[in-house]
Short mmCIF file of all heavy atoms in Angstrom, two decimals:
data_model
loop_
_atom_site.label_atom_id
_atom_site.label_comp_id
_atom_site.label_asym_id
_atom_site.label_seq_id
_atom_site.Cartn_x
_atom_site.Cartn_y
_atom_site.Cartn_z
N ASP A 361 2.94 27.15 9.35
CA ASP A 361 3.75 27.29 10.56
C ASP A 361 3.04 26.85 11.84
O ASP A 361 3.54 27.07 12.94
CB ASP A 361 4.21 28.75 10.72
CG ASP A 361 3.03 29.73 10.67
OD1 ASP A 361 1.88 29.26 10.63
OD2 ASP A 361 3.26 30.95 10.69
N CYS A 362 1.87 26.20 11.67
CA CYS A 362 1.09 25.71 12.83
C CYS A 362 0.61 26.83 13.74
O CYS A 362 0.47 26.65 14.96
CB CYS A 362 1.88 24.67 13.62
SG CYS A 362 2.29 23.21 12.67
N ALA A 363 0.39 28.01 13.17
CA ALA A 363 -0.15 29.14 13.94
C ALA A 363 -1.68 29.06 13.94
O ALA A 363 -2.29 28.66 12.95
CB ALA A 363 0.28 30.45 13.29
N VAL A 364 -2.27 29.45 15.08
CA VAL A 364 -3.73 29.56 15.13
C VAL A 364 -4.09 30.82 14.35
O VAL A 364 -3.62 31.91 14.70
CB VAL A 364 -4.22 29.69 16.59
CG1 VAL A 364 -5.74 29.77 16.65
CG2 VAL A 364 -3.71 28.52 17.43
N ARG A 365 -4.90 30.70 13.33
CA ARG A 365 -5.16 31.85 12.45
C ARG A 365 -5.79 33.03 13.18
O ARG A 365 -5.42 34.17 12.94
CB ARG A 365 -6.04 31.41 11.28
CG ARG A 365 -5.22 30.84 10.13
CD ARG A 365 -6.06 30.74 8.86
NE ARG A 365 -5.97 29.40 8.33
CZ ARG A 365 -6.87 28.45 8.55
NH1 ARG A 365 -7.95 28.71 9.25
NH2 ARG A 365 -6.71 27.26 8.06
N ASP A 366 -6.70 32.72 14.12
CA ASP A 366 -7.43 33.83 14.76
C ASP A 366 -6.83 34.31 16.08
O ASP A 366 -7.40 35.19 16.72
CB ASP A 366 -8.90 33.41 14.99
CG ASP A 366 -9.63 33.22 13.67
OD1 ASP A 366 -9.15 33.78 12.66
OD2 ASP A 366 -10.66 32.53 13.66
N VAL A 367 -5.74 33.71 16.51
CA VAL A 367 -5.11 34.16 17.77
C VAL A 367 -3.64 34.46 17.47
O VAL A 367 -2.79 33.57 17.53
CB VAL A 367 -5.21 33.09 18.88
CG1 VAL A 367 -4.68 33.64 20.21
CG2 VAL A 367 -6.64 32.57 19.04
N PRO A 368 -3.33 35.71 17.12
CA PRO A 368 -1.95 36.03 16.75
C PRO A 368 -0.97 35.61 17.83
O PRO A 368 -1.20 35.84 19.02
CB PRO A 368 -1.97 37.56 16.59
CG PRO A 368 -3.40 37.91 16.37
CD PRO A 368 -4.22 36.86 17.09
N GLY A 369 0.11 34.91 17.42
CA GLY A 369 1.17 34.53 18.36
C GLY A 369 0.98 33.17 19.01
O GLY A 369 1.85 32.72 19.75
N LEU A 370 -0.16 32.50 18.76
CA LEU A 370 -0.38 31.20 19.40
C LEU A 370 -0.15 30.06 18.39
O LEU A 370 -0.67 30.10 17.28
CB LEU A 370 -1.81 31.12 19.96
CG LEU A 370 -2.17 29.84 20.72
CD1 LEU A 370 -1.28 29.65 21.95
CD2 LEU A 370 -3.64 29.85 21.15
N TYR A 371 0.64 29.07 18.81
CA TYR A 371 1.02 27.95 17.93
C TYR A 371 0.84 26.63 18.68
O TYR A 371 1.05 26.57 19.91
CB TYR A 371 2.50 28.04 17.52
CG TYR A 371 2.87 29.30 16.79
CD1 TYR A 371 3.05 30.50 17.47
CD2 TYR A 371 3.05 29.30 15.41
CE1 TYR A 371 3.40 31.67 16.81
CE2 TYR A 371 3.41 30.45 14.72
CZ TYR A 371 3.58 31.64 15.44
OH TYR A 371 3.92 32.78 14.76
N PHE A 372 0.50 25.56 17.96
CA PHE A 372 0.47 24.19 18.52
C PHE A 372 1.30 23.33 17.57
O PHE A 372 1.10 23.40 16.35
CB PHE A 372 -0.96 23.64 18.57
CG PHE A 372 -1.80 24.19 19.68
CD1 PHE A 372 -2.19 25.53 19.67
CD2 PHE A 372 -2.24 23.38 20.72
CE1 PHE A 372 -2.98 26.04 20.70
CE2 PHE A 372 -3.03 23.88 21.74
CZ PHE A 372 -3.40 25.21 21.73
N ILE A 373 2.17 22.50 18.13
CA ILE A 373 3.01 21.65 17.27
C ILE A 373 3.07 20.22 17.83
O ILE A 373 2.81 19.99 19.00
CB ILE A 373 4.45 22.20 17.15
CG1 ILE A 373 5.07 22.41 18.53
CG2 ILE A 373 4.47 23.48 16.34
CD1 ILE A 373 6.54 22.82 18.49
N GLY A 374 3.45 19.29 16.96
CA GLY A 374 3.66 17.90 17.39
C GLY A 374 2.36 17.14 17.59
O GLY A 374 1.33 17.42 16.97
N GLU A 375 2.41 16.21 18.52
CA GLU A 375 1.33 15.24 18.69
C GLU A 375 0.05 15.83 19.28
O GLU A 375 -1.02 15.22 19.18
CB GLU A 375 1.85 14.11 19.57
CG GLU A 375 1.02 12.85 19.46
CD GLU A 375 1.55 11.75 20.37
OE1 GLU A 375 2.77 11.53 20.41
OE2 GLU A 375 0.72 11.13 21.04
N VAL A 376 0.13 16.98 19.92
CA VAL A 376 -1.07 17.59 20.49
C VAL A 376 -2.10 17.90 19.40
O VAL A 376 -3.31 17.91 19.63
CB VAL A 376 -0.69 18.86 21.31
CG1 VAL A 376 -0.23 20.00 20.40
CG2 VAL A 376 -1.85 19.32 22.19
N LEU A 377 -1.61 18.10 18.17
CA LEU A 377 -2.51 18.35 17.04
C LEU A 377 -3.09 17.03 16.54
O LEU A 377 -2.54 15.95 16.79
CB LEU A 377 -1.73 19.03 15.89
CG LEU A 377 -1.36 20.49 16.10
CD1 LEU A 377 -0.42 20.95 14.99
CD2 LEU A 377 -2.61 21.38 16.11
N ASP A 378 -4.16 17.13 15.78
CA ASP A 378 -4.80 15.94 15.22
C ASP A 378 -4.03 15.46 13.98
O ASP A 378 -4.52 15.49 12.86
CB ASP A 378 -6.26 16.30 14.85
CG ASP A 378 -6.95 15.19 14.10
OD1 ASP A 378 -6.66 14.02 14.37
OD2 ASP A 378 -7.79 15.51 13.21
N VAL A 379 -2.77 15.07 14.21
CA VAL A 379 -1.93 14.49 13.16
C VAL A 379 -1.27 13.26 13.79
O VAL A 379 -0.55 13.40 14.78
CB VAL A 379 -0.83 15.46 12.69
CG1 VAL A 379 0.09 14.78 11.67
CG2 VAL A 379 -1.43 16.73 12.10
#
Side-chain angles (χ1 to χ4, degrees):
D361 54 5
C362 298
V364 182
R365 274 194 232 97
D366 293 340
V367 186
L370 183 61
Y371 301 77
F372 284 67
I373 55 174
E375 199 181 315
V376 70
L377 286 171
D378 173 34
V379 176

